[in-house]
Amino acid sequence: MKNLAPAIFPPKGIGDAKPGNEAVLDWVHEIAILTEPENIFWCDGSDRENEFLIAESLKQNVLIELNQDKVPRSCLHRSNPNDVARVEQFTFVCTPTKDEAGPTNNWSEPRETYAKLRGLLKGAMRGRTMFVIPYMMGPPDSPLTKIGFEITDSKYVVLSMRIMTRMGEIALKRLGNDSHAEWNRGVHSLLDVNPERRFICHFPQDNTIISVGSGYGGNVLLSKKCFALRIGSYLARTQGWMAEHMLILGVESPEGRKHYVAAAFPSACGKTNFAMLIPPAHFKGWKVTTVGDDIAWMQIRDGGLYAVNPENGYFGVVPGTSYKSNPNAMRSIAHDTIYTNVALTDDGDVWWEGKNGPPPAHAFDWRGDNWTSQSKEKAAHPNSRFTTPMRNNPALDADIENGEGVPISAIIFGGRRSDTVPLVYQAFDWNHGIYLGATMASETTAAAAGAVGRVRRDPMAMLPFCGYNIGDYFQHWLDIGKRLTNPPLIFNVNWFRKGADGTFLWPGFGENMRVLEWIIDRCEGHGGAVKSPIGWLPSPHDLDLAELDIDHNAVDELLGLDHEEWQKEIAAHKEFFDSLGSVVPEELQKQRDQLVGRFKL
Ligand code: SAT
Ligand code: MN
């Protein structure tokens, strides 16, 4: 087999940050005996280490150099063309019983799965370097913060984890030497990057993740979907907090009143854009700041919900990102960024569909093949990504390191729906809000392998990320609600509704501020709304649409309910709950009955 990750040999003082914790050392030892690496590299996350690893990666073609005048300190990585997105069909939750994984997860028996994975990992790192990455999820002084270790044979994973997490010394310090301390064990090997030997396996009871056969994104940056969401959601339930697939943003009015909202949209539905929103000129004096763009860990304090972003960077979709759609993202990725699967121009710059300016006449596409502006194929892969430190974001919230978290005024659910679902509406109460989340659906995107554009139910945008039985997850939301005396209000949004001619009715991007303002108004107890069968709907004059070029009919359509469409929608809710078997809590069945009843009034 061709060695896909040849070993590297660091000079003295690099790669020797061995932790003092005996439990970690024992585990690393055990994995090393199994995988037989050429050497072990103990990461400390320092600049010196990072520079060394980038230099080695350039030598080994793991990274491609970019024009340093155009994108300083940035590189391009090309993944194997068979390995460009999360693979949900090869993702497993390995709980002792199938029931615990529930109807929405692929389950496999833990003992058999460990045995199979051990077989695949046997000798897998021969001739390679085994990296040990200590990392911390969450701000240094938060009770929510957790420690993970990832063992990997991929330099790209090490470089990416340094951006995406608080890596190195800081994590070792927080963990300390207590051999009974809680920490996540993550093992990753590229193997031979073969889809037939690609498995992403979670063992929630053991706080363990094993991922083999992929080198891409959520499959291998184990801190992200694997730990912060799948294992995280399991820990959150047993420990009484919440791990959610949500962005967190701050919004401050010209008078200086500040709110935070958390929003759950499926992958590649605009969480990063919403989290970095720049209010249009009409909203002079309003400010939106980013706490997180993908994951929220939330705890109850004083009867309310407080959120931290466990991550340290953004792994965002590149195509479509421009100074028009997301200026803050463009500024963030202008330097110190790893690009994956975008196109490379002849002058060493990066390019993608939807970037500002005309396409280059010639470029190398995401596979490295010749591409011209006449080519039918896309130059950048639709799921091409940037990995960039959150500190690059000009709109970063000042409270990002606040260990108590930021108080959440509103939770927003949303997805891509061409029809049926209005631009925005508000749930009647917490439990009704859970129903909105539990029944949300979205047209699928390139973020996961498989068909694109198919409507699928994606409860709370957690369908691929809930690490235990979805019925118990719904119940956990209900139980959290019982402990909240000051719960966030819950909303649903849909930026993607289309008119009869198939074009989007709503301009989206910065103009979403108009919807956000209504949400904030509702949280403050003003802001008009009409009662509808599905929840509180703004009437056209409840939204500030001044200086927006949109016609009245479009607004009516955006805020309208088509009863026929909703009969189909409710039938789809029922079908979805039925497909889950008997796990859906009574309360949510009751919510559906009430919804049906309200349509009959
Ligand atoms: O590849 S990731 O899972 O990290 C990105 C996503 O699907 O949101
Ligand atoms: Mn995501």
Side-chain angles (χ1 to χ4, degrees):
M1 189 218 304
K2 180 171 145 243
N3 191 349
L4 294 157
I8 51 158
F9 299 94
K12 217 172 148 24
I14 292 184
D16 55 11
K18 208 168 173 172
N21 191 302
E22 290 291 333
V24 175
L25 294 173
D26 286 351
W27 169 71
V28 172
H29 186 68
E30 182 196 322
I31 303 301
I33 287 177
L34 177 65
T35 58
E36 301 172 35
E38 184 75 27
N39 55 355
I40 301 182
F41 187 112
W42 305 88
C43 302
D44 67 3
S46 64
D47 289 348
R48 200 167 152 237
E49 171 183 288
N50 197 54
E51 279 157 28
F52 171 75
L53 288 176
I54 290 175
E56 291 296 305
S57 301
L58 290 168
K59 272 192 235 159
Q60 296 183 352
N61 289 325
V62 170
L63 291 179
I64 295 160
E65 191 145 32
L66 293 171
N67 184 328
Q68 295 299 300
D69 295 330
K70 305 244 179 213
V71 257
R73 300 175 302 283
S74 303
C75 295
L76 169 66
H77 172 76
R78 291 190 185 123
S79 76
N80 189 311
N82 75 29
D83 184 32
V84 295
R86 276 184 295 105
V87 282
E88 295 179 3
Q89 69 277 33
F90 306 130
T91 300
F92 292 87
V93 171
C94 310
T95 42
T97 64
K98 188 171 182 342
D99 239 25
E100 287 161 89
T104 56
N105 282 310
N106 298 315
W107 174 77
S108 70
E109 202 277 327
R111 211 145 21 118
E112 283 168 22
T113 313
Y114 275 128
K116 179 175 82 179
L117 293 168
R118 287 184 72 83
L120 289 167
L121 284 168
K122 180 130 195 42
M125 296 191 191
R126 270 178 218 156
R128 299 180 180 184
T129 295
M130 180 173 109
F131 299 92
V132 184
I133 308 168
Y135 65 93
M136 184 168 85
M137 299 302 283
D141 66 344
S142 176
L144 284 164
T145 290
K146 298 211 178 277
I147 298 300
F149 281 80
E150 178 166 354
I151 288 175
T152 179
D153 53 12
S154 159
K155 295 159 200 78
Y156 168 73
V157 167
V158 181
L159 295 168
S160 302
M161 286 291 282
R162 184 173 185 266
I163 296 174
M164 294 306 297
T165 71
R166 293 163 174 90
M167 175 182 146
E169 218 58 64
I170 193 169
L172 295 182
K173 214 186 274 157
R174 166 103 183 187
L175 177 69
N177 286 348
D178 175 3
S179 59
H180 296 290
E182 180 199 289
W183 52 279
N184 179 268
R185 292 154 170 74
V187 180
H188 165 248
S189 174
L190 294 162
L191 305 184
D192 57 350
V193 196
N194 184 332
E196 285 171 26
R197 286 181 284 281
R198 183 169 296 158
F199 301 103
I200 325 297
C201 300
H202 307 71
F203 303 86
Q205 278 82 355
D206 304 340
N207 203 350
T208 292
I209 304 155
I210 302 176
S211 163
V212 295
S214 170
Y216 196 71
N219 298 333
V220 300
L221 309 177
L222 300 185
S223 59
K224 195 173 183 55
K225 308 298 185 177
C226 299
F227 182 27
L229 288 178
R230 296 196 191 94
I231 300 281
S233 61
Y234 171 86
L235 294 173
R237 174 168 176 253
T238 51
Q239 299 169 354
W241 52 282
M242 301 175 91
E244 298 298 331
H245 190 202
M246 292 177 179
L247 67 91
I248 310 160
L249 64 79
V251 51
E252 193 177 331
S253 72
E255 300 79 37
R257 276 174 294 120
K258 187 158 185 184
H259 289 271
Y260 289 93
V261 309
F265 309 156
S267 300
C269 288
K271 279 199 301 300
T272 306
N273 289 342
F274 193 42
M276 295 184 177
L277 181 153
I278 295 180
H282 175 66
F283 285 78
K284 200 166 166 328
W286 286 83
K287 250 187 10 218
V288 171
T289 48
T290 318
V291 179
D293 81 325
D294 196 37
I295 297 172
W297 281 359
M298 301 190 283
Q299 62 178 345
I300 301 176
R301 267 202 324 125
D302 308 329
L305 270 185
Y306 285 73
V308 300
N309 170 13
E311 299 192 283
N312 197 42
Y314 309 128
F315 184 66
V317 176
V318 178
T321 306
S322 68
Y323 278 100
K324 183 157 177 286
S325 67
N326 192 341
N328 284 329
M330 288 300 283
R331 285 181 201 114
S332 304
I333 65 180
H335 57 95
D336 298 281
T337 294
I338 300 175
Y339 287 91
T340 305
N341 290 348
V342 298
L344 175 68
T345 64
D346 293 345
D347 58 356
D349 200 356
V350 281
W351 192 80
W352 53 85
E353 279 71 19
K355 196 183 183 186
N356 299 74
H362 173 269
F364 296 97
D365 71 9
W366 63 275
R367 293 181 200 82
D369 293 337
N370 282 304
W371 181 93
T372 72
S373 48
Q374 311 309 314
S375 298
K376 282 203 189 61
E377 304 243 321
K378 294 221 186 310
H381 189 276
N383 193 37
S384 55
R385 296 272 172 163
F386 56 75
T387 311
T388 204
M390 69 176 175
R391 282 178 184 76
N392 280 9
N393 178 3
L396 192 67
D397 192 82
D399 260 337
I400 187 77
E401 295 288 341
N402 180 347
E404 291 184 339
V406 296
I408 298 298
S409 301
I411 288 175
I412 305 173
F413 295 119
R416 284 174 192 269
R417 293 296 299 273
S418 308
D419 50 44
T420 315
V421 181
L423 178 63
V424 60
Y425 61 104
Q426 182 194 339
F428 294 120
D429 55 32
W430 179 263
N431 284 2
H432 180 225
I434 298 175
Y435 183 82
L436 303 191
T439 56
M440 76 186 242
S442 191
E443 289 148 24
T444 49
T445 68
V452 169
R454 181 175 56 82
V455 174
R456 78 163 180 184
R457 298 288 140 188
D458 187 350
M460 282 83 169
M462 284 288 278
L463 182 75
F465 307 123
C466 180
Y468 62 100
N469 191 306
I470 197 82
D472 294 335
Y473 171 78
F474 294 153
Q475 188 58 49
H476 183 52
W477 271 81
L478 293 164
D479 293 342
I480 289 280
K482 289 184 205 134
R483 294 167 54 202
L484 294 172
T485 48
N486 184 23
L489 302 186
I490 300 182
F491 297 82
N492 196 87
V493 300
N494 176 24
W495 318 134
F496 301 94
R497 200 167 182 179
K498 289 179 178 167
D501 62 356
T503 60
F504 291 115
L505 291 164
W506 180 248
F509 302 110
E511 305 299 345
N512 292 338
M513 182 64 214
R514 298 168 190 275
V515 173
L516 189 54
E517 188 203 23
W518 181 74
I519 288 173
I520 298 306
D521 282 350
R522 296 293 294 169
C523 291
E524 292 186 342
H526 45 93
V530 286
K531 198 166 184 180
S532 86
I534 65 169
W536 294 105
L537 268 171
S539 67
H541 60 258
D542 294 323
L543 290 179
D544 184 347
L545 299 174
E547 297 174 44
L548 179 65
D549 183 20
I550 189 168
D551 85 42
H552 288 301
N553 294 334
V555 176
D556 288 342
E557 262 186 84
L558 276 163
L559 298 175
L561 288 189
D562 178 322
H563 284 231
E564 229 166 86
E565 281 179 349
W566 271 91
Q567 291 318 310
K568 280 193 211 136
E569 180 70 12
I570 294 170
H573 294 177
K574 179 167 187 326
E575 198 182 312
F576 176 56
F577 280 2
D578 288 349
S579 78
L580 299 178
S582 56
V583 305
V584 179
E586 221 11 73
E587 172 61 27
L588 296 188
Q589 308 282 7
K590 204 175 89 197
Q591 287 289 336
R592 194 189 57 240
D593 293 342
Q594 289 171 353
L595 172 62
V596 170
R598 286 193 298 268
F599 269 101
K600 288 189 182 137
L601 286 180

